[in-house]
Amino acid sequence: MQYIVNPYDEWYALVRAIELKEKNGGTVTTITVGDAGCDPIIRKALAIGADDAVRIDALPTDAMQVAQLIAEHARSGGYDIILCGKETIDHNGAVVPAMVAEMLDCGFISNATQLDVDGGQATLKREAAGGEEIMEVQCPFVLSAAKGMAEQRIPNMRGIMSARTKPLTVESAESTPSTTISQFTLPPEKGACKMIDAERPEELIRLLREEAKAI
Amino acid sequence: MSVLAIISTKNGAATKAGLEAASYAAAWARAQGSEAIAIAAGPLSNAEALGATGVARILHHAEEVTDSGQWAKLATAASESVGAISVVASHDPFGRAVAPRVAVRLTAGLVAGVTELPENGTVRKNVFSGKAMADVDVSTSKSVYTITPNAFGITSDGSGATTEVFSAELGVAKEVVKGFEAASADGQVPLPEAELVVSAGRGLKGPENWGIVEELAQSLGATTACSRPVSDIGWRPHHEHVGQTGITIRPNLYIAAGISGAIQHLAGVNQSKVIVVVNTDPEAPFFKAADYGIVGDAFEVLPKLTAAIKALDS
Ligand SMILES: Cc1cc2nc3c(=O)[nH]c(=O)nc-3n(C[C@H](O)[C@H](O)[C@H](O)COP(=O)(O)OP(=O)(O)OC[C@H]3O[C@@H](n4cnc5c(N)ncnc54)[C@H](O)[C@@H]3O)c2cc1C
């Protein structure tokens, strides 16, 4: 099985971090909790433009454990902004960023679609019911990035070459998860799709009202 | 031995997701022979609806709280004061900001996006955007759950709750709300809350053809959505993009016209209760995920559907 960088992390969080570095200076460090199997995808993040990378050598089993390991590293790292994706596309948990914020006692902006930084102050937009909220928060803070924050960047040849020699530090750590998955199951099968004659769409409306009770 | 529900409010009333969290907490408390308690902050015009979910008490913090760190302090204080063994919140941006902080404060295991009541310490949640389910065991003595929207429903036959004033030391707010920009002025229900959605894709050929999509949506009182390429090339606004990298929705009805049904699209919509697909290609993968299908040209079928709905209403 071939793993990929979670799209919300790669397309939105990482790219915006790199854009801010290009504009304001500073450095971008990526952090990953996982075993050596993660190294190829970490190199991809470096090829896109991160300066260096940290891998916490532990098997991620639950959100609290991952958050603890990230927060522990971040405490000593002096980071101004911790950018995360809004959720992973496999487990859809979406809770690590807020946990990290709580552990570091700092502000958290979820589902952020825009980020600008001026000195120690950040202005953001975030998804809210019916539109977007404009938010202000002081560094350091944590955000989870949603669509809109940046555009996907494809690494170029120079990026790929330089990624090979950028520093990837491996840190070991101990942690115990508080939840475990006992089994996966598939949802019940969908019944067959009922086909309706294109000449008689009113039949569909009748079925939606009387059979499916959807309208 | 009680269950605490964290209630989000909007425009001075408990939200739908908040009422769902309360209903879940009440049902689970009942199953254990204990009671459910709700915590809410700021104006609460529908305290009756909240009581009807079956929660026994409402702890009410007079001022509104918008900072997720302050909300977590409030909910943690409430949880400790009522001796809650579990805390329940909605799996929406509000719940996903507050519940993880509460879990950290209570050293409680957190399960995100649950769809059913726990049984013997195990609870079921959605994974892979609803393509599979996982059963999760919590090993800590306390637990925090966020509830998948539209998975559990709202109870409305509870006997009513008493409201008590509640306050706690919240410290300073770090996240400051400076303003709000409405996505559209057309009065549509926002996509994440919409019960009826009409969506279209590249099969519509160009932005000038969206009139038939909007008319169908209007006739139903539905919200419009679109596939990713359509928002990427600017035919439709970004906030309409549904799917793995857009918005995940779970409406009662999802009508998709001119959308092929790629797995990344399905990831955002396949938990809809009823799916209708209109596509010229009988082999379009979307038909496999649909409840009702019409093989036909959207340019002919959609106006006919609109007319049929109007005929039904008159
Ligand atoms: C990492 C990743 C993430 C992605 N995330 C998303 C996402 O979040 N959401 C998303 O939607 N996509 C996403 N995609 C893209 C996805 O793979 C598909 O490319 C996309 O969904 C296709 O959009 P479409 O169905 O509108 O267009 P097409 O695949 O081009 O399909 C058009 C359909 O219209 C039909 N058609 C043509 N003419 C008519 C007509 N007159 N009447 C009726 N039907 C007609 C055709 O038969 C065809 O089935 C993602 C892709 C990747 C790689």
Side-chain angles (χ1 to χ4, degrees), chain A residues 8 90-92 102 106 108 125 130 132 134 136 147 178 180 182-183 185 190 194 196 211, chain B residues 101 105 125 128-129 131 133 135 137 139 175-176 178-179 181 183 193 238 241 244 291-293:
Chain A
Y8 292 107
D90 49 10
H91 285 244
N92 314 121
E102 185 65 22
C106 62
F108 168 59
K125 283 188 187 169
E132 290 184 321
I134 299 156
E136 266 178 21
K147 186 186 160 85
S178 50
T180 39
S182 54
Q183 67 163 346
T185 44
K190 267 247 174 202
K194 208 175 246 186
I196 289 132
E211 185 180 76
Chain B
R101 287 181 178 270
R105 291 192 155 258
K125 65 163 286 187
F128 300 102
S129 306
K131 287 192 284 291
M133 281 117 46
D135 292 338
D137 301 326
S139 55
E175 308 149 7
V176 184
K178 284 289 182 186
E181 287 176 3
E193 293 148 51
H238 279 302
H241 160 196
Q244 190 169 78
D291 300 281
Y292 299 99

mmCIF file of all heavy atoms in Angstrom, chain A residues 8 90-92 102 106 108 125 130 132 134 136 147 178 180 182-183 185 190 194 196 211, chain B residues 101 105 125 128-129 131 133 135 137 139 175-176 178-179 181 183 193 238 241 244 291-293:
data_model
loop_
_atom_site.group_PDB
_atom_site.id
_atom_site.type_symbol
_atom_site.label_atom_id
_atom_site.label_comp_id
_atom_site.label_asym_id
_atom_site.label_seq_id
_atom_site.Cartn_x
_atom_site.Cartn_y
_atom_site.Cartn_z
ATOM 1 N N TYR A 8 -5.285 17.772 3.061
ATOM 2 C CA TYR A 8 -5.484 19.038 3.787
ATOM 3 C C TYR A 8 -4.173 19.557 4.369
ATOM 4 O O TYR A 8 -3.947 20.760 4.448
ATOM 5 C CB TYR A 8 -6.504 18.874 4.925
ATOM 6 C CG TYR A 8 -7.897 18.614 4.436
ATOM 7 C CD1 TYR A 8 -8.468 17.370 4.561
ATOM 8 C CD2 TYR A 8 -8.628 19.635 3.834
ATOM 9 C CE1 TYR A 8 -9.757 17.126 4.103
ATOM 10 C CE2 TYR A 8 -9.909 19.397 3.367
ATOM 11 C CZ TYR A 8 -10.470 18.141 3.513
ATOM 12 O OH TYR A 8 -11.725 17.907 3.052
ATOM 13 N N ASP A 90 -8.553 9.512 6.176
ATOM 14 C CA ASP A 90 -8.885 8.133 6.524
ATOM 15 C C ASP A 90 -9.747 8.063 7.787
ATOM 16 O O ASP A 90 -10.878 7.632 7.760
ATOM 17 C CB ASP A 90 -7.639 7.238 6.610
ATOM 18 C CG ASP A 90 -6.499 7.810 7.435
ATOM 19 O OD1 ASP A 90 -6.703 8.829 8.122
ATOM 20 O OD2 ASP A 90 -5.400 7.241 7.389
ATOM 21 N N HIS A 91 -9.231 8.587 8.909
ATOM 22 C CA HIS A 91 -10.007 8.449 10.143
ATOM 23 C C HIS A 91 -10.934 9.627 10.437
ATOM 24 O O HIS A 91 -11.766 9.549 11.330
ATOM 25 C CB HIS A 91 -9.085 8.148 11.327
ATOM 26 C CG HIS A 91 -8.589 6.727 11.305
ATOM 27 N ND1 HIS A 91 -8.896 5.809 12.267
ATOM 28 C CD2 HIS A 91 -7.850 6.079 10.392
ATOM 29 C CE1 HIS A 91 -8.356 4.641 11.953
ATOM 30 N NE2 HIS A 91 -7.704 4.786 10.819
ATOM 31 N N ASN A 92 -10.798 10.710 9.680
ATOM 32 C CA ASN A 92 -11.720 11.850 9.795
ATOM 33 C C ASN A 92 -11.919 12.337 11.227
ATOM 34 O O ASN A 92 -13.013 12.775 11.593
ATOM 35 C CB ASN A 92 -13.111 11.510 9.208
ATOM 36 C CG ASN A 92 -13.055 10.824 7.852
ATOM 37 O OD1 ASN A 92 -13.553 9.728 7.689
ATOM 38 N ND2 ASN A 92 -12.432 11.470 6.891
ATOM 39 N N GLU A 102 -4.671 22.970 23.338
ATOM 40 C CA GLU A 102 -4.962 22.928 24.776
ATOM 41 C C GLU A 102 -3.700 22.574 25.561
ATOM 42 O O GLU A 102 -3.409 23.160 26.599
ATOM 43 C CB GLU A 102 -6.076 21.910 25.060
ATOM 44 C CG GLU A 102 -6.536 21.886 26.504
ATOM 45 C CD GLU A 102 -7.195 23.190 26.955
ATOM 46 O OE1 GLU A 102 -7.673 23.942 26.083
ATOM 47 O OE2 GLU A 102 -7.208 23.457 28.182
ATOM 48 N N CYS A 106 -2.719 27.546 24.067
ATOM 49 C CA CYS A 106 -2.771 28.660 23.115
ATOM 50 C C CYS A 106 -4.055 28.634 22.306
ATOM 51 O O CYS A 106 -4.855 27.703 22.400
ATOM 52 C CB CYS A 106 -1.527 28.686 22.226
ATOM 53 S SG CYS A 106 -1.305 27.260 21.213
ATOM 54 N N PHE A 108 -6.753 28.543 19.098
ATOM 55 C CA PHE A 108 -6.947 27.564 18.037
ATOM 56 C C PHE A 108 -8.029 28.065 17.085
ATOM 57 O O PHE A 108 -9.100 28.475 17.509
ATOM 58 C CB PHE A 108 -7.362 26.213 18.625
ATOM 59 C CG PHE A 108 -7.847 25.232 17.594
ATOM 60 C CD1 PHE A 108 -7.008 24.846 16.554
ATOM 61 C CD2 PHE A 108 -9.130 24.703 17.641
ATOM 62 C CE1 PHE A 108 -7.452 23.963 15.576
ATOM 63 C CE2 PHE A 108 -9.573 23.811 16.674
ATOM 64 C CZ PHE A 108 -8.734 23.438 15.640
ATOM 65 N N LYS A 125 -9.534 33.854 8.307
ATOM 66 C CA LYS A 125 -10.952 33.597 8.084
ATOM 67 C C LYS A 125 -11.182 32.131 8.396
ATOM 68 O O LYS A 125 -10.310 31.295 8.148
ATOM 69 C CB LYS A 125 -11.325 33.879 6.629
ATOM 70 C CG LYS A 125 -11.463 35.350 6.331
ATOM 71 C CD LYS A 125 -12.026 35.551 4.951
ATOM 72 C CE LYS A 125 -12.008 37.028 4.591
ATOM 73 N NZ LYS A 125 -12.315 37.224 3.173
ATOM 74 N N GLY A 130 -23.141 29.398 7.206
ATOM 75 C CA GLY A 130 -23.636 30.457 6.336
ATOM 76 C C GLY A 130 -22.578 31.418 5.829
ATOM 77 O O GLY A 130 -22.903 32.405 5.174
ATOM 78 N N GLU A 132 -18.244 33.005 6.499
ATOM 79 C CA GLU A 132 -16.926 32.919 7.127
ATOM 80 C C GLU A 132 -16.791 33.971 8.226
ATOM 81 O O GLU A 132 -17.277 35.095 8.073
ATOM 82 C CB GLU A 132 -15.835 33.141 6.077
ATOM 83 C CG GLU A 132 -15.723 31.986 5.113
ATOM 84 C CD GLU A 132 -14.577 32.168 4.132
ATOM 85 O OE1 GLU A 132 -14.347 33.295 3.654
ATOM 86 O OE2 GLU A 132 -13.904 31.163 3.863
ATOM 87 N N ILE A 134 -14.226 36.343 10.507
ATOM 88 C CA ILE A 134 -12.889 36.937 10.495
ATOM 89 C C ILE A 134 -12.380 36.889 11.928
ATOM 90 O O ILE A 134 -13.075 37.315 12.856
ATOM 91 C CB ILE A 134 -12.957 38.378 9.962
ATOM 92 C CG1 ILE A 134 -13.496 38.342 8.520
ATOM 93 C CG2 ILE A 134 -11.579 39.041 10.008
ATOM 94 C CD1 ILE A 134 -14.133 39.623 8.087
ATOM 95 N N GLU A 136 -9.018 37.119 14.872
ATOM 96 C CA GLU A 136 -7.673 37.583 15.224
ATOM 97 C C GLU A 136 -7.147 36.748 16.368
ATOM 98 O O GLU A 136 -7.895 36.398 17.285
ATOM 99 C CB GLU A 136 -7.711 39.056 15.635
ATOM 100 C CG GLU A 136 -7.416 39.983 14.476
ATOM 101 C CD GLU A 136 -7.502 41.444 14.872
ATOM 102 O OE1 GLU A 136 -7.389 41.750 16.087
ATOM 103 O OE2 GLU A 136 -7.707 42.257 13.977
ATOM 104 N N LYS A 147 -9.976 24.101 2.647
ATOM 105 C CA LYS A 147 -9.874 24.579 1.265
ATOM 106 C C LYS A 147 -9.944 26.099 1.210
ATOM 107 O O LYS A 147 -10.744 26.708 1.914
ATOM 108 C CB LYS A 147 -11.036 23.989 0.484
ATOM 109 C CG LYS A 147 -10.994 24.264 -0.996
ATOM 110 C CD LYS A 147 -12.274 23.768 -1.639
ATOM 111 C CE LYS A 147 -12.498 24.440 -2.970
ATOM 112 N NZ LYS A 147 -11.814 23.788 -4.068
ATOM 113 N N SER A 178 -5.254 6.163 24.600
ATOM 114 C CA SER A 178 -6.386 5.976 25.506
ATOM 115 C C SER A 178 -7.586 5.349 24.800
ATOM 116 O O SER A 178 -8.581 5.031 25.414
ATOM 117 C CB SER A 178 -6.787 7.310 26.136
ATOM 118 O OG SER A 178 -6.938 8.298 25.137
ATOM 119 N N THR A 180 -8.564 2.411 21.464
ATOM 120 C CA THR A 180 -8.051 1.479 20.461
ATOM 121 C C THR A 180 -9.206 1.006 19.583
ATOM 122 O O THR A 180 -10.326 0.852 20.068
ATOM 123 C CB THR A 180 -7.411 0.223 21.104
ATOM 124 O OG1 THR A 180 -8.205 -0.154 22.227
ATOM 125 C CG2 THR A 180 -5.998 0.460 21.539
ATOM 126 N N SER A 182 -11.149 -1.819 17.858
ATOM 127 C CA SER A 182 -11.225 -3.276 17.997
ATOM 128 C C SER A 182 -11.583 -3.941 16.678
ATOM 129 O O SER A 182 -11.160 -5.055 16.407
ATOM 130 C CB SER A 182 -12.216 -3.667 19.089
ATOM 131 O OG SER A 182 -13.478 -3.079 18.847
ATOM 132 N N GLN A 183 -12.390 -3.284 15.836
ATOM 133 C CA GLN A 183 -12.659 -3.858 14.516
ATOM 134 C C GLN A 183 -13.195 -2.824 13.544
ATOM 135 O O GLN A 183 -13.754 -1.809 13.935
ATOM 136 C CB GLN A 183 -13.644 -5.026 14.633
ATOM 137 C CG GLN A 183 -15.027 -4.590 15.064
ATOM 138 C CD GLN A 183 -16.091 -5.669 14.788
ATOM 139 O OE1 GLN A 183 -15.844 -6.622 14.060
ATOM 140 N NE2 GLN A 183 -17.260 -5.511 15.378
ATOM 141 N N THR A 185 -15.829 -2.438 10.211
ATOM 142 C CA THR A 185 -16.902 -3.111 9.490
ATOM 143 C C THR A 185 -17.325 -2.251 8.314
ATOM 144 O O THR A 185 -17.081 -1.053 8.288
ATOM 145 C CB THR A 185 -18.140 -3.352 10.388
ATOM 146 O OG1 THR A 185 -18.392 -2.159 11.139
ATOM 147 C CG2 THR A 185 -17.956 -4.510 11.322
ATOM 148 N N LYS A 190 -25.935 -0.890 -0.197
ATOM 149 C CA LYS A 190 -27.049 -0.139 -0.784
ATOM 150 C C LYS A 190 -27.897 -1.101 -1.589
ATOM 151 O O LYS A 190 -27.366 -1.975 -2.272
ATOM 152 C CB LYS A 190 -26.495 0.926 -1.747
ATOM 153 C CG LYS A 190 -26.279 2.260 -1.091
ATOM 154 C CD LYS A 190 -27.234 3.304 -1.626
ATOM 155 C CE LYS A 190 -27.078 4.587 -0.829
ATOM 156 N NZ LYS A 190 -28.158 5.493 -0.824
ATOM 157 N N LYS A 194 -32.958 2.180 -8.328
ATOM 158 C CA LYS A 194 -34.219 2.077 -9.082
ATOM 159 C C LYS A 194 -34.147 3.023 -10.283
ATOM 160 O O LYS A 194 -33.977 4.223 -10.105
ATOM 161 C CB LYS A 194 -35.363 2.473 -8.156
ATOM 162 C CG LYS A 194 -36.684 1.818 -8.496
ATOM 163 C CD LYS A 194 -37.749 2.169 -7.458
ATOM 164 C CE LYS A 194 -38.171 0.922 -6.681
ATOM 165 N NZ LYS A 194 -39.300 1.194 -5.778
ATOM 166 N N ILE A 196 -35.504 5.088 -13.488
ATOM 167 C CA ILE A 196 -36.754 5.720 -13.897
ATOM 168 C C ILE A 196 -36.607 6.226 -15.324
ATOM 169 O O ILE A 196 -35.569 6.787 -15.697
ATOM 170 C CB ILE A 196 -37.107 6.868 -12.923
ATOM 171 C CG1 ILE A 196 -37.515 6.250 -11.586
ATOM 172 C CG2 ILE A 196 -38.244 7.734 -13.444
ATOM 173 C CD1 ILE A 196 -36.864 6.861 -10.429
ATOM 174 N N GLU A 211 -42.504 7.008 -1.504
ATOM 175 C CA GLU A 211 -41.710 5.847 -1.110
ATOM 176 C C GLU A 211 -40.544 6.248 -0.206
ATOM 177 O O GLU A 211 -40.396 5.748 0.906
ATOM 178 C CB GLU A 211 -41.186 5.133 -2.356
ATOM 179 C CG GLU A 211 -40.452 3.836 -2.068
ATOM 180 C CD GLU A 211 -39.973 3.190 -3.368
ATOM 181 O OE1 GLU A 211 -38.975 3.677 -3.948
ATOM 182 O OE2 GLU A 211 -40.601 2.216 -3.803
ATOM 183 N N ARG B 101 -10.229 19.789 23.625
ATOM 184 C CA ARG B 101 -9.654 20.514 24.760
ATOM 185 C C ARG B 101 -10.204 19.964 26.070
ATOM 186 O O ARG B 101 -9.468 19.815 27.053
ATOM 187 C CB ARG B 101 -9.994 22.006 24.645
ATOM 188 C CG ARG B 101 -9.223 22.774 23.556
ATOM 189 C CD ARG B 101 -9.653 24.213 23.580
ATOM 190 N NE ARG B 101 -8.990 25.118 22.649
ATOM 191 C CZ ARG B 101 -7.878 25.811 22.929
ATOM 192 N NH1 ARG B 101 -7.282 25.684 24.094
ATOM 193 N NH2 ARG B 101 -7.370 26.633 22.028
ATOM 194 N N ARG B 105 -8.231 18.225 29.258
ATOM 195 C CA ARG B 105 -8.388 18.680 30.643
ATOM 196 C C ARG B 105 -8.844 17.555 31.570
ATOM 197 O O ARG B 105 -8.461 17.520 32.734
ATOM 198 C CB ARG B 105 -9.404 19.827 30.709
ATOM 199 C CG ARG B 105 -8.856 21.075 30.050
ATOM 200 C CD ARG B 105 -9.703 22.299 30.347
ATOM 201 N NE ARG B 105 -8.848 23.456 30.219
ATOM 202 C CZ ARG B 105 -8.324 24.120 31.244
ATOM 203 N NH1 ARG B 105 -8.631 23.814 32.479
ATOM 204 N NH2 ARG B 105 -7.497 25.115 31.041
ATOM 205 N N LYS B 125 -17.859 4.468 15.138
ATOM 206 C CA LYS B 125 -17.663 5.752 14.468
ATOM 207 C C LYS B 125 -17.450 5.538 12.977
ATOM 208 O O LYS B 125 -17.101 4.440 12.538
ATOM 209 C CB LYS B 125 -16.469 6.516 15.063
ATOM 210 C CG LYS B 125 -15.117 5.842 14.846
ATOM 211 C CD LYS B 125 -13.952 6.800 15.061
ATOM 212 C CE LYS B 125 -13.810 7.776 13.925
ATOM 213 N NZ LYS B 125 -12.623 8.621 13.975
ATOM 214 N N PHE B 128 -12.999 6.679 6.893
ATOM 215 C CA PHE B 128 -12.918 6.737 5.432
ATOM 216 C C PHE B 128 -14.165 7.399 4.858
ATOM 217 O O PHE B 128 -14.798 6.870 3.939
ATOM 218 C CB PHE B 128 -12.703 5.340 4.849
ATOM 219 C CG PHE B 128 -11.433 4.691 5.327
ATOM 220 C CD1 PHE B 128 -11.458 3.711 6.311
ATOM 221 C CD2 PHE B 128 -10.205 5.099 4.832
ATOM 222 C CE1 PHE B 128 -10.288 3.139 6.774
ATOM 223 C CE2 PHE B 128 -9.032 4.531 5.290
ATOM 224 C CZ PHE B 128 -9.076 3.548 6.260
ATOM 225 N N SER B 129 -14.523 8.557 5.437
ATOM 226 C CA SER B 129 -15.666 9.348 4.960
ATOM 227 C C SER B 129 -16.934 8.515 4.808
ATOM 228 O O SER B 129 -17.677 8.673 3.852
ATOM 229 C CB SER B 129 -15.319 10.016 3.625
ATOM 230 O OG SER B 129 -14.138 10.758 3.735
ATOM 231 N N LYS B 131 -17.160 5.274 4.301
ATOM 232 C CA LYS B 131 -17.041 4.046 3.516
ATOM 233 C C LYS B 131 -16.857 2.828 4.421
ATOM 234 O O LYS B 131 -16.987 1.696 3.987
ATOM 235 C CB LYS B 131 -15.885 4.160 2.521
ATOM 236 C CG LYS B 131 -16.227 5.091 1.352
ATOM 237 C CD LYS B 131 -15.232 5.003 0.221
ATOM 238 C CE LYS B 131 -13.933 5.719 0.520
ATOM 239 N NZ LYS B 131 -14.080 7.191 0.568
ATOM 240 N N MET B 133 -16.897 1.575 9.001
ATOM 241 C CA MET B 133 -17.109 1.957 10.387
ATOM 242 C C MET B 133 -16.043 1.288 11.248
ATOM 243 O O MET B 133 -15.577 0.208 10.934
ATOM 244 C CB MET B 133 -18.486 1.491 10.859
ATOM 245 C CG MET B 133 -19.611 2.416 10.390
ATOM 246 S SD MET B 133 -20.809 1.676 9.313
ATOM 247 C CE MET B 133 -21.193 0.154 10.070
ATOM 248 N N ASP B 135 -15.116 0.177 15.359
ATOM 249 C CA ASP B 135 -15.555 0.063 16.745
ATOM 250 C C ASP B 135 -14.377 0.431 17.630
ATOM 251 O O ASP B 135 -13.293 -0.143 17.503
ATOM 252 C CB ASP B 135 -16.028 -1.358 17.035
ATOM 253 C CG ASP B 135 -17.313 -1.667 16.279
ATOM 254 O OD1 ASP B 135 -18.020 -0.701 15.914
ATOM 255 O OD2 ASP B 135 -17.593 -2.846 16.038
ATOM 256 N N ASP B 137 -12.664 1.129 21.457
ATOM 257 C CA ASP B 137 -12.704 0.919 22.908
ATOM 258 C C ASP B 137 -12.016 2.079 23.588
ATOM 259 O O ASP B 137 -10.949 2.517 23.166
ATOM 260 C CB ASP B 137 -11.954 -0.369 23.291
ATOM 261 C CG ASP B 137 -12.538 -1.586 22.610
ATOM 262 O OD1 ASP B 137 -13.766 -1.602 22.408
ATOM 263 O OD2 ASP B 137 -11.767 -2.499 22.268
ATOM 264 N N SER B 139 -10.176 3.273 27.033
ATOM 265 C CA SER B 139 -9.584 2.621 28.198
ATOM 266 C C SER B 139 -9.503 3.538 29.418
ATOM 267 O O SER B 139 -9.162 3.103 30.513
ATOM 268 C CB SER B 139 -8.195 2.078 27.848
ATOM 269 O OG SER B 139 -7.406 3.126 27.325
ATOM 270 N N GLU B 175 -8.918 33.871 21.134
ATOM 271 C CA GLU B 175 -9.441 33.895 19.763
ATOM 272 C C GLU B 175 -10.517 34.971 19.705
ATOM 273 O O GLU B 175 -11.526 34.881 20.383
ATOM 274 C CB GLU B 175 -10.043 32.536 19.416
ATOM 275 C CG GLU B 175 -9.084 31.370 19.694
ATOM 276 C CD GLU B 175 -9.807 30.080 20.086
ATOM 277 O OE1 GLU B 175 -11.045 30.019 20.019
ATOM 278 O OE2 GLU B 175 -9.115 29.133 20.488
ATOM 279 N N VAL B 176 -10.285 36.006 18.879
ATOM 280 C CA VAL B 176 -11.208 37.141 18.868
ATOM 281 C C VAL B 176 -11.959 37.199 17.534
ATOM 282 O O VAL B 176 -11.344 37.247 16.466
ATOM 283 C CB VAL B 176 -10.433 38.462 19.088
ATOM 284 C CG1 VAL B 176 -11.403 39.638 19.183
ATOM 285 C CG2 VAL B 176 -9.575 38.358 20.343
ATOM 286 N N LYS B 178 -13.773 39.043 14.749
ATOM 287 C CA LYS B 178 -13.760 40.433 14.292
ATOM 288 C C LYS B 178 -14.891 40.750 13.332
ATOM 289 O O LYS B 178 -15.173 41.924 13.065
ATOM 290 C CB LYS B 178 -12.424 40.731 13.591
ATOM 291 C CG LYS B 178 -11.275 40.904 14.550
ATOM 292 C CD LYS B 178 -11.441 42.213 15.301
ATOM 293 C CE LYS B 178 -10.292 42.465 16.250
ATOM 294 N NZ LYS B 178 -10.512 43.643 17.081
ATOM 295 N N GLY B 179 -15.476 39.730 12.742
ATOM 296 C CA GLY B 179 -16.537 40.020 11.777
ATOM 297 C C GLY B 179 -17.051 38.756 11.128
ATOM 298 O O GLY B 179 -16.555 37.651 11.400
ATOM 299 N N GLU B 181 -18.636 37.272 7.235
ATOM 300 C CA GLU B 181 -18.967 37.493 5.824
ATOM 301 C C GLU B 181 -19.919 36.400 5.373
ATOM 302 O O GLU B 181 -19.560 35.229 5.373
ATOM 303 C CB GLU B 181 -17.696 37.434 4.968
ATOM 304 C CG GLU B 181 -16.814 38.651 5.132
ATOM 305 C CD GLU B 181 -15.510 38.533 4.348
ATOM 306 O OE1 GLU B 181 -15.315 37.532 3.634
ATOM 307 O OE2 GLU B 181 -14.691 39.451 4.465
ATOM 308 N N ALA B 183 -21.854 33.909 3.006
ATOM 309 C CA ALA B 183 -21.421 33.274 1.764
ATOM 310 C C ALA B 183 -22.296 33.709 0.600
ATOM 311 O O ALA B 183 -21.824 33.926 -0.494
ATOM 312 C CB ALA B 183 -21.465 31.758 1.907
ATOM 313 N N GLU B 193 -25.874 22.292 6.718
ATOM 314 C CA GLU B 193 -27.128 22.090 7.444
ATOM 315 C C GLU B 193 -28.295 21.742 6.539
ATOM 316 O O GLU B 193 -29.397 21.489 7.017
ATOM 317 C CB GLU B 193 -27.484 23.378 8.196
ATOM 318 C CG GLU B 193 -26.528 23.714 9.329
ATOM 319 C CD GLU B 193 -26.378 25.211 9.524
ATOM 320 O OE1 GLU B 193 -27.400 25.901 9.629
ATOM 321 O OE2 GLU B 193 -25.225 25.683 9.540
ATOM 322 N N HIS B 238 -16.472 28.482 -4.521
ATOM 323 C CA HIS B 238 -15.783 27.418 -3.788
ATOM 324 C C HIS B 238 -16.614 26.806 -2.674
ATOM 325 O O HIS B 238 -16.501 25.625 -2.377
ATOM 326 C CB HIS B 238 -14.468 27.941 -3.210
ATOM 327 C CG HIS B 238 -13.374 27.961 -4.227
ATOM 328 N ND1 HIS B 238 -12.972 26.828 -4.883
ATOM 329 C CD2 HIS B 238 -12.629 28.959 -4.723
ATOM 330 C CE1 HIS B 238 -12.011 27.128 -5.740
ATOM 331 N NE2 HIS B 238 -11.792 28.435 -5.668
ATOM 332 N N HIS B 241 -18.411 23.442 -3.253
ATOM 333 C CA HIS B 241 -17.661 22.213 -3.556
ATOM 334 C C HIS B 241 -17.851 21.154 -2.459
ATOM 335 O O HIS B 241 -17.488 21.356 -1.315
ATOM 336 C CB HIS B 241 -16.184 22.611 -3.732
ATOM 337 C CG HIS B 241 -15.184 21.512 -3.588
ATOM 338 N ND1 HIS B 241 -13.848 21.764 -3.406
ATOM 339 C CD2 HIS B 241 -15.299 20.176 -3.597
ATOM 340 C CE1 HIS B 241 -13.198 20.623 -3.310
ATOM 341 N NE2 HIS B 241 -14.050 19.646 -3.406
ATOM 342 N N GLN B 244 -14.387 14.857 -0.806
ATOM 343 C CA GLN B 244 -13.304 14.588 0.120
ATOM 344 C C GLN B 244 -12.515 15.834 0.485
ATOM 345 O O GLN B 244 -12.115 16.007 1.622
ATOM 346 C CB GLN B 244 -12.368 13.589 -0.532
ATOM 347 C CG GLN B 244 -11.345 13.028 0.375
ATOM 348 C CD GLN B 244 -10.674 11.875 -0.315
ATOM 349 O OE1 GLN B 244 -9.817 12.064 -1.170
ATOM 350 N NE2 GLN B 244 -11.087 10.684 0.020
ATOM 351 N N ASP B 291 -29.927 5.681 -5.094
ATOM 352 C CA ASP B 291 -31.179 5.004 -4.790
ATOM 353 C C ASP B 291 -32.108 5.070 -6.002
ATOM 354 O O ASP B 291 -32.848 4.134 -6.274
ATOM 355 C CB ASP B 291 -31.854 5.667 -3.590
ATOM 356 C CG ASP B 291 -30.986 5.602 -2.358
ATOM 357 O OD1 ASP B 291 -30.960 4.533 -1.728
ATOM 358 O OD2 ASP B 291 -30.295 6.597 -2.054
ATOM 359 N N TYR B 292 -32.100 6.216 -6.691
ATOM 360 C CA TYR B 292 -32.922 6.396 -7.879
ATOM 361 C C TYR B 292 -32.042 6.961 -8.980
ATOM 362 O O TYR B 292 -31.172 7.803 -8.716
ATOM 363 C CB TYR B 292 -34.072 7.374 -7.618
ATOM 364 C CG TYR B 292 -35.013 6.898 -6.526
ATOM 365 C CD1 TYR B 292 -34.893 7.393 -5.226
ATOM 366 C CD2 TYR B 292 -36.007 5.959 -6.797
ATOM 367 C CE1 TYR B 292 -35.745 6.954 -4.217
ATOM 368 C CE2 TYR B 292 -36.867 5.516 -5.798
ATOM 369 C CZ TYR B 292 -36.736 6.024 -4.508
ATOM 370 O OH TYR B 292 -37.570 5.588 -3.523
ATOM 371 N N GLY B 293 -32.256 6.494 -10.217
ATOM 372 C CA GLY B 293 -31.439 6.981 -11.318
ATOM 373 C C GLY B 293 -32.270 7.273 -12.552
ATOM 374 O O GLY B 293 -33.274 6.607 -12.801
#
